[in-house]
C-alpha cells in the first residue's frame, strides 16, 4: 500500500502539500496553546481534491484536521498528534455572483470574511457577520464554529445565515446541498448540523449564504453607563424604542478600555467622562427616511434622565463611527498585549448579565485576590467574554486557570446559560462539557459522531471524546 504522504503528494502536487518549516505557520493555534507538528498541511485547490485527501487519510489511518483562518479560540483547528494532516481551505477562495433577488451568494469555504464584505459592497448587499478576526477568519471556519459576532442578536449566528452547503463527508463522498432557499424541511436539517460541528463530521467546501441589503443609514453612539445593570436596562429600553432598527448593542469595561488605550497608541477615546461600563449602540435602516438619529438621541435623553447614562456621544461622521467600533473591537488585542490572560466565552439570558458579572467578580476575587476582570461582548444576546488578566504586578494566575474556568462555567450553567457561547468546544472545553452537560446530551452527540464518522478520522479529540 502507498504510504499516505506519498499518496497525498500525488493528489495535491507541489503547490498543495507543505511539510517541514513550510507547514509551521499552520501548526499552532491563535492563542499558541495547542498544536503538534502534523505529517504535513494539505492545501487542496477544489472539492475533488478535498475528497481525494480525505479518502487517502481514511485509508492510511491518518487524522484529518480542517483549518480555515486558524483564528479559533478553542484549539480545534490544529493537530494533537503527529499522525495527522491539516487540511487548509486557504486556496479555495472563489466568490460567486450575488443574487439580489434571492438574497444569496455561493462562496468557497476558504473565502476570508472581510474579502466577502469587500466583494459585496459595490452591489449594495451585505453579509451580516462581523467579528474582530474578520480579516483572517474564513467561511468554512465560521461555519465550523457556528460563529456569532456583533450582529448575531439581529441576524442570527452562522447557522441562520447558511442556506446551503457542500460537504466532503468522512468517507470522502461529496454531499451537494447547495440549495439557495430558506425553507427546506425535507428531513433532518443537515446544513445546520454542520454549523458548529468544528470539523468533526466533514469538511465544508462551499456554502450558499444569506445576504441583506446594505443599510442606507446608520446612527451610532458611545455611552458611559453608571454600571452593568444600567447597561442592561438601557438595552431593554432601546430594543423597545428602536425595534428592528437596533443593529448593534456591544459593551466593554473600563479595565478593557484602559488596556486597549495603553497598548494601542493610535486608539482614541473622545468622551470627557470615564466610567466603569461602556455601551456601543447602533441603529441601521435600509430606508433613508427613518429618523434614526432622533430615535437614538431621545433614548439617550431618557437614559440620562433615568440616571442610567452618565455621558454619551452620537457619531458625527463615518470616521467617528469607525473609531467607536475600534474601541470595542480592540478589546481582545489590548488584553492580549498586556500578557497572560484567561478567556471565558459565557452566555446568560440578557437580563442576567449584570448578575453574572457581579457574582463572577466575587468568585474570581476569592480564587485570586486582585485578579483583573475584563468583561466585554454582545449585550443583545447575553454573550459575555469574561476574560481575566493577572492582578497588577503579577505575570500569571498562580496555577488557578482551571479553578476560574470551572467556577465560571458552573455559574453560567446555574443561570441557564452556556460556557461555550460562540467559540465552540474545540480541544479546550471537552472536559468542561462533560461536567456541565447531561450524560444524555453528551451521549446523543457521541452517537451522531459515531454515525457520521465511525473510524474517527475527522478532527479526533475535538468537541466529543471517542474511544480510539
Ligand atoms: C480577535 C478575535 C475576535 C474574535 N471575535 C469573535 C466573535 O465576535 N464571535 C465569534 O463567534 N468568534 C470570534 N472569534 C473566534 C474566531 O474568529 C471564530 O471562531 C471563527 O469562526 C473561526 O474561523 P477560522 O476560519 O479562523 O476557523 P479555524 O480557527 O481555522 O477553525 C475553527 C474550527 O472550525 C473547523 N473548520 C475550519 N474550516 C472548516 C471547514 N472548511 N469545514 C469544517 N470545519 C472547519 C476547524 O477544524 C476548527 O474546529 C474571534 C477570534 C479572534 C482572534
Amino acid at each position: 500500500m502507498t504510504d499516505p504522504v506519498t499518496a497525498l503528494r500525488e493528489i495535491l502536487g507541489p503547490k498543495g502539500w507543505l511539510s517541514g518549516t513550510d507547514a509551521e505557520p499552520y501548526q499552532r493555534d491563535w492563542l499558541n496553546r495547542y498544536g503538534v507538528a502534523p505529517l504535513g498541511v494539505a492545501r487542496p485547490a477544489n472539492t475533488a481534491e478535498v475528497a481525494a485527501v480525505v479518502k487517502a487519510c481514511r485509508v492510511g489511518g491518518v487524522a484529518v484536521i480542517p483549518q480555515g483562518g486558524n483564528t479559533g479560540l478553542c484549539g480545534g483547528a490544529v493537530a494533537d498528534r503527529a499522525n495527522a494532516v491539516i487540511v487548509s481551505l486557504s486556496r479555495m477562495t472563489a466568490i460567486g455572483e450575488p443574487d439580489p433577488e434571492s438574497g444569496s451568494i455561493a462562496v468557497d469555504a476558504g473565502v476570508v470574511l472581510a474579502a466577502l464584505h469587500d466583494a459585496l459592497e459595490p452591489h449594495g448587499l451585505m453579509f451580516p457577520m462581523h467579528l474582530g478576526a474578520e480579516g483572517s477568519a474564513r467561511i468554512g471556519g465560521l461555519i465550523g464554529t457556528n460563529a456569532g459576532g456583533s450582529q448575531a442578536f439581529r441576524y442570527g449566528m452562522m447557522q441562520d445565515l447558511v442556506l446551503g452547503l457542500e460537504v466532503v463527508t468522512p468517507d470522502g463522498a461529496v454531499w451537494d446541498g447547495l440549495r439557495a432557499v430558506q425553507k427546506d424541511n425535507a428531513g433532518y436539517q443537515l446544513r445546520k448540523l454542520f454549523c458548529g460541528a468544528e470539523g468533526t463530521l466533514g469538511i465544508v467546501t462551499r456554502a450558499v449564504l444569506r445576504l441583506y441589503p446594505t443599510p442606507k443609514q446608520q446612527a451610532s453612539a458611545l455611552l458611559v453607563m453608571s454600571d452593568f445593570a444600567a447597561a442592561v436596562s438601557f438595552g431593554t429600553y432601546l430594543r423597545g424604542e428602536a425595534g428592528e432598527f437596533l443593529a448593534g448593542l456591544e459593551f466593554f469595561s473600563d479595565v478593557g478600555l484602559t488596556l486597549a488605550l495603553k497598548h494601542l497608541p493610535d486608539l482614541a477615546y473622545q468622551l470627557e467622562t470615564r466610567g466603569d461600563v461602556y455601551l456601543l449602540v447602533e441603529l441601521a435602516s435600509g430606508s433613508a427616511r427613518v429618523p434614526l438619529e432622533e430615535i437614538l438621541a431621545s433614548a439617550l435623553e431618557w437614559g440620562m434622565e433615568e440616571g442610567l447614562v452618565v455621558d454619551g456621544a452620537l457619531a458625527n461622521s463615518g470616521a467617528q463611527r469607525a473609531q467607536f467600533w475600534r474601541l470595542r473591537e480592540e478589546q481582545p488585542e489590548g488584553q492580549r498585549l498586556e500578557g497572560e490572560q484567561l478567556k471565558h466565552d459565557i452566555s446568560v439570558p440578557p437580563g442576567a448579565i449584570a448578575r453574572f458579572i457581579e457574582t463572577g467578580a466575587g468568585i474570581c476575587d476569592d480564587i485570586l485576590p486582585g485578579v483583573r476582570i475584563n468583561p466585554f461582548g454582545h449585550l443583545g444576546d447575553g454573550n459575555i467574554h469574561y476574560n481575566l488578566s493577572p492582578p497588577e504586578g503579577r505575570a500569571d494566575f498562580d496555577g488557578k486557570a482551571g479553578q476560574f474556568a470551572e467556577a465560571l462555567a458552573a455559574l453560567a450553567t446555574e443561570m441557564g446559560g452556556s460556557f461555550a457561547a460562540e467559540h465552540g468546544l474545540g480541544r479546550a472545553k471537552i472536559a468542561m462539557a462533560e461536567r456541565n452537560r447531561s450524560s444524555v446530551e453528551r451521549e446523543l452527540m457521541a452517537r451522531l459522531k459515531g454515525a457520521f464518522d465511525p473510524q474517527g478520522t475527522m478532527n479526533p479529540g475535538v468537541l466529543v471524546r471517542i474511544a480510539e
Side-chain angles (χ1 to χ4, degrees), residues 38 63 70 103 179 196 267 302 362 417 428 442:
N70 198 16
R179 292 176 279 268
L267 211 57
W302 176 86
R442 299 298 294 160

Side-chain angles (χ1 to χ4, degrees), residues 29-31 64-78 87-89 109-111 129-134 136-150 157-158 166-167 194 197-206 250 328-329 332-333 336 343 345 376 378 383 385 421-424 426-427 458-459 462:
D29 73 315
W30 192 81
L31 292 171
V64 172
I65 322 291
Q67 188 179 96
N70 198 16
T71 68
L73 298 173
C74 296
V78 290
V87 180
S88 164
L89 280 287
V111 168
M129 171 65 58
H130 285 280
L131 39 85
E134 64 192 41
S136 306
R138 296 177 190 271
I139 296 302
L142 294 158
I143 292 171
T145 57
N146 190 24
S150 57
M157 298 177 77
M158 236 10 224
E166 178 185 83
V167 178
F194 285 105
E198 300 186 64
T200 61
L201 303 180
I203 303 187
V204 174
T205 45
R206 210 164 155 71
E250 299 282 300
R328 161 64 186 91
E329 279 170 355
E333 190 59 5
R336 189 180 73 84
K343 286 177 176 282
D345 177 26
F376 61 88
H378 317 295
N383 187 181
H385 299 302
E422 62 176 5
H423 299 156
R427 301 190 187 286
M458 297 300 309
N459 228 355
V462 165

Side-chain angles (χ1 to χ4, degrees), residues 105-468:
I105 188 167
V107 297
D108 278 358
V111 168
V112 170
L113 179 56
L116 176 60
H117 290 153
D118 291 348
L120 289 171
E121 203 186 323
H123 299 274
L125 293 166
M126 65 159 186
F127 179 59
M129 171 65 58
H130 285 280
L131 39 85
E134 64 192 41
S136 306
R138 296 177 190 271
I139 296 302
L142 294 158
I143 292 171
T145 57
N146 190 24
S150 57
Q151 294 191 312
F153 78 95
R154 174 152 173 197
Y155 296 100
M157 298 177 77
M158 236 10 224
Q159 63 175 0
D160 305 298
L161 299 171
V162 166
L163 295 171
L165 282 183
E166 178 185 83
V167 178
V168 171
T169 66
D171 54 4
V174 178
W175 171 52
D176 181 349
L178 285 169
R179 292 176 279 268
V181 286
Q182 191 185 346
K183 290 189 168 174
D184 177 19
N185 277 349
Y188 295 125
Q189 297 296 298
L190 289 180
R191 62 181 166 175
K192 295 212 180 214
L193 192 55
F194 285 105
C195 297
E198 300 186 64
T200 61
L201 303 180
I203 303 187
V204 174
T205 45
R206 210 164 155 71
V208 179
L209 303 175
R210 212 168 162 183
L211 302 179
Y212 289 83
T214 309
K216 290 208 175 56
Q217 56 154 340
Q218 280 143 334
S220 322
L222 182 64
L223 311 181
V224 183
M225 310 305 295
S226 49
D227 54 23
F228 285 105
V232 172
S233 301
F234 186 75
T236 308
Y237 176 79
L238 203 57
R239 273 172 194 264
E241 286 299 294
E244 73 274 21
F245 302 122
L246 187 58
L249 191 55
E250 299 282 300
F251 73 97
F252 52 95
S253 76
D254 203 53
V255 173
L257 179 62
T258 305
L259 294 180
L261 293 172
K262 174 177 165 190
H263 293 293
L264 300 156
D266 63 326
L267 211 57
Y269 177 76
Q270 294 178 325
L271 271 61
E272 282 177 11
T273 319
R274 293 278 290 266
D276 285 344
V277 187
Y278 304 88
L279 257 191
L280 172 55
V281 300
E282 187 157 285
L283 311 189
S285 171
S287 159
R289 287 196 291 269
V290 181
L292 293 184
E293 289 212 357
E294 258 174 57
I295 297 172
L296 193 50
S298 100
L300 203 63
E301 212 177 297
W302 176 86
M304 285 180 162
E305 277 165 19
E306 294 293 311
L308 305 174
V309 178
V310 178
D311 192 7
L314 261 66
N316 56 21
S317 64
Q320 196 174 35
R321 170 180 176 261
Q323 276 179 345
F324 288 173
W325 272 102
R326 260 202 85 203
L327 289 173
R328 161 64 186 91
E329 279 170 355
E330 296 290 13
Q331 294 295 310
E333 190 59 5
Q335 190 165 22
R336 189 180 73 84
L337 294 170
E338 177 74 356
E340 197 67 16
Q341 60 167 321
L342 297 176
K343 286 177 176 282
H344 306 105
D345 177 26
I346 302 292
S347 67
V348 290
I353 289 179
R355 198 153 56 86
F356 182 92
I357 291 175
E358 278 145 28
T359 313
I363 292 172
C364 291
D365 206 61
D366 284 347
I367 296 174
L368 183 62
V371 68
R372 283 174 289 168
I373 297 157
N374 179 20
F376 61 88
H378 317 295
L379 193 96
D381 50 36
N383 187 181
I384 312 163
H385 299 302
Y386 203 83
N387 296 353
L388 307 180
S389 287
E392 290 284 1
R394 257 202 96 106
D396 62 17
F397 292 93
D398 197 20
K400 292 176 170 163
Q403 252 178 285
F404 285 117
E406 284 309 325
L408 293 169
L411 182 63
T413 303
E414 189 189 308
M415 288 188 179
S418 172
F419 51 88
E422 62 176 5
H423 299 156
L425 297 177
R427 301 190 187 286
K429 292 191 183 168
I430 294 193
M432 194 181 276
E434 285 167 352
R435 277 191 284 276
N436 288 280
R437 290 288 155 100
S438 71
S439 56
V440 174
E441 193 166 332
R442 299 298 294 160
E443 178 58 26
L444 284 172
M445 289 194 199
R447 277 195 231 158
L448 260 178
K449 168 72 177 170
F452 273 71
D453 183 19
Q455 273 190 265
T457 307
M458 297 300 309
N459 228 355
V462 165
L463 197 149
V464 66
R465 226 190 294 260
I466 301 286
E468 290 181 44

